[in-house]
Amino acid sequence: MTFFTVVIRGLLRRPLRTGFTLGGISIGIAAVVALVGMSRGFEKGWQVGLKARGTDIVVSNKSGSLTPKPFDASIRDRIATFPHIAGTCNILVEVTSVEESDLMILSAREWGSFCWDNLELVSGRMPRDAAEEAVVLGQTAAEVLKKKVGDPLQIETKELKVVGIVKGGAVVEDGSVILSLPLLQGIIGTPNQINAIDVRVTPGTNQQQVGELAQQIEQQIPEVHAVTVSEHLSHSEGFRLVKAMSWGTSLLAILVGVLGVMNTMLMTVFERTHEISVLLALGWTRGRIIRMILYEAAMLGLLGGAVGVALGVIGVQILGTTPAIRGLLKPDLSIGLLTLSVLIAVAVGILSGLYPAWRSSRLAPSRALQAG
């Protein structure tokens, strides 16, 4: 009988209990994959959306808040005088319910700014001017809202006309209702208010100069916060909260798995007292007994991790097709995240098996005769 035969036989001794333990680990790992994948997808989607618009620096209100707080649009005129700036765009973004959709991005943009340049018409036309009571829909938004060119769209108490369907080059852009800035300001009653300024730098400006420009904006206009696109979401309180909640919930689920594995391994040790004592009597070292228990625990973690990754991927794919999520983000299920999840599961197994392994190594070989 080989070492690994003993390990596998230990796992198969109580298949129902082993199955429940694997289920506990799988749920924890599925939570890691789903929640962290969604939060990473949210971050990546917004960054890609900003880059698709050609944005290099994002300026927002310096006041801490979970959602972007509005500020006066006149700040744009002060920023436009800085060196290395090729263009600016006042933006007002709201995430709200629109008709049958519970969550929809309303992206109101300064008319004539570069923020309209990345929008490629799929059908229809662009609004004629900033005053026309019209919107264009990203492809995904049009599918979620079930709208086509010429249909009316109710936003709050205002009915606007869908004049075009566009492709924006990013998940966030394709999932947005896009309209001129004055229209949304009038609908929600915030004249001259925005919650972001997108800044595009002149060609040839290197990343160091972009970072220095963001610092200059903050120093000379202390009421705003200016960061490069790559740093934008990492400085967002709302995103940091989402990220913390994702990992926090995942860790709680993993803790359940830890307790499950530890309980299973302890029960295994108690039930196999005679077997372990016989192995010690036959010459197995205490270190080898410890390795046997840890191998069993690690294998539980590996199998649970593999199943959990599969469940997490399936769950995220299903969630990504729901109207509430579709258009807001595309989950980021990278190989790195999936590998990390499996490694977490193996680590959970090993850590959970440390005490049972130590307990098993304390058994005396003489107990083989007593048990017999």
Side-chain angles (χ1 to χ4, degrees), residues 2-283:
T2 66
F3 178 79
F4 284 101
T5 302
V6 176
V7 170
I8 294 172
R9 194 180 71 173
L11 291 176
L12 297 177
R13 179 183 294 269
R14 292 286 186 272
L16 188 60
R17 186 169 64 206
T18 299
F20 279 127
T21 304
L22 286 174
I25 299 174
S26 300
I27 291 171
I29 297 305
V32 173
V33 172
L35 295 174
V36 177
M38 297 285 273
S39 67
R40 286 186 178 182
F42 176 77
E43 177 182 18
K44 185 176 180 180
W46 280 95
Q47 285 183 343
V48 171
L50 288 167
K51 290 178 180 178
R53 294 202 296 264
T55 302
D56 296 300
I57 296 174
V58 179
V59 179
S60 57
N61 197 311
K62 200 164 189 176
S63 301
S65 175
L66 298 180
T67 56
K69 294 183 69 174
F71 58 95
D72 197 278
S74 63
I75 288 179
R76 191 282 310 273
D77 297 331
R78 297 162 63 186
I79 292 174
T81 62
F82 282 77
H84 302 297
I85 290 183
T88 58
C89 173
N90 280 344
I91 291 181
L92 181 61
V93 175
E94 292 284 324
V95 180
T96 185
S97 61
V98 176
E99 294 192 356
E100 300 302 317
S101 175
D102 293 330
L103 288 175
M104 182 60 61
I105 302 169
L106 300 180
S107 180
R109 307 175 182 189
E110 182 181 359
W111 185 254
S113 68
F114 70 84
C115 290
W116 292 85
D117 296 344
N118 67 298
L119 302 178
E120 178 185 341
L121 273 173
V122 175
S123 61
R125 61 174 176 82
M126 290 292 186
R128 294 190 181 89
D129 52 44
E132 184 182 4
E133 296 184 348
V135 302
V136 293
L137 302 179
Q139 289 178 304
T140 307
E143 292 173 9
V144 172
L145 293 169
K146 300 177 181 177
K147 298 290 183 179
K148 61 184 186 298
V149 174
D151 288 345
L153 182 69
Q154 190 77 27
I155 300 178
E156 302 268 340
T157 58
K158 191 77 171 179
E159 184 176 277
L160 305 176
K161 183 180 180 181
V162 177
V163 296
I165 308 296
V166 298
K167 181 168 60 175
V171 173
V172 172
E173 295 284 273
D174 290 343
S176 297
V177 175
I178 303 167
L179 64 165
S180 69
L181 181 60
L183 280 180
L184 185 57
Q185 288 173 330
I187 291 171
I188 64 177
T190 56
N192 299 317
Q193 293 290 295
I194 56 175
N195 52 23
I197 302 172
D198 281 10
V199 177
R200 178 183 285 180
V201 301
T202 54
T205 306
N206 59 44
Q207 286 301 310
Q208 181 179 348
Q209 291 173 316
V210 173
E212 290 172 351
L213 176 58
Q215 292 177 1
Q216 290 174 16
I217 292 172
E218 280 203 15
Q219 289 170 0
Q220 298 186 36
I221 310 177
E223 59 263 43
V224 299
H225 188 51
V227 293
T228 61
V229 168
S230 59
E231 299 174 332
H232 174 50
L233 286 179
S234 63
H235 285 75
S236 166
E237 290 190 25
F239 175 72
R240 286 202 298 265
L241 178 62
V242 169
K243 198 171 185 178
M245 289 178 64
S246 297
W247 276 109
T249 305
S250 300
L251 290 174
L252 285 174
I254 289 171
L255 179 60
V256 174
V258 168
L259 296 175
V261 174
M262 185 176 292
N263 177 69
T264 295
M265 299 316 299
L266 276 172
M267 293 300 295
T268 296
V269 170
F270 292 144
E271 292 173 357
R272 295 165 66 189
T273 297
H274 177 249
E275 177 187 337
I276 294 171
S277 299
V278 168
L279 292 174
L280 288 168
L282 290 175

